Amino acid sequence: MAGPVETLAAKRYAVHPDYRVNVRSGPGTNYQLVKVLPYGASVPINCQKPGEWVTGPYGTTNLWDNIANGQFVLDAYVYTGSSGYVAERCA
């Protein structure tokens, strides 16, 4: 009989509460719109990669957060407490 399996819950980061944030298929506004996050959403950041420079409520950046397979949001809409990388770079 197998023992209990321990899993680490991914840290989640709050999306700015005043915005419904677009989720794109890649790191830029020219990528396909996958979905729109609701107000008050929080997201995991699996990895981050540079892309298009865009301005959001937390500043101007080219850093995009991968929140799921093929899903990216601009880091300037996510409160991470940092203007730089908080996760590994996406491959």
Side-chain angles (χ1 to χ4, degrees), residues 11-72:
K11 180 172 181 177
R12 297 183 74 84
Y13 296 88
V15 174
H16 193 286
D18 296 339
Y19 293 88
R20 294 186 68 225
V21 176
N22 291 334
V23 178
R24 301 280 180 179
S25 63
T29 59
N30 57 322
Y31 286 87
Q32 180 181 357
L33 179 64
V34 175
K35 65 181 179 181
V36 179
L37 296 175
Y39 292 109
S42 66
V43 295
I45 298 178
N46 301 319
C47 61
Q48 296 173 292
K49 73 185 305 180
E52 178 185 359
W53 284 91
V54 182
T55 299
Y58 297 124
T60 300
T61 186
N62 73 333
L63 195 57
W64 289 74
D65 304 332
N66 174 268
I67 62 168
N69 189 27
Q71 297 183 22
F72 290 85

Side-chain angles (χ1 to χ4, degrees), residues 1-5:
M1 186 164 106
V5 176

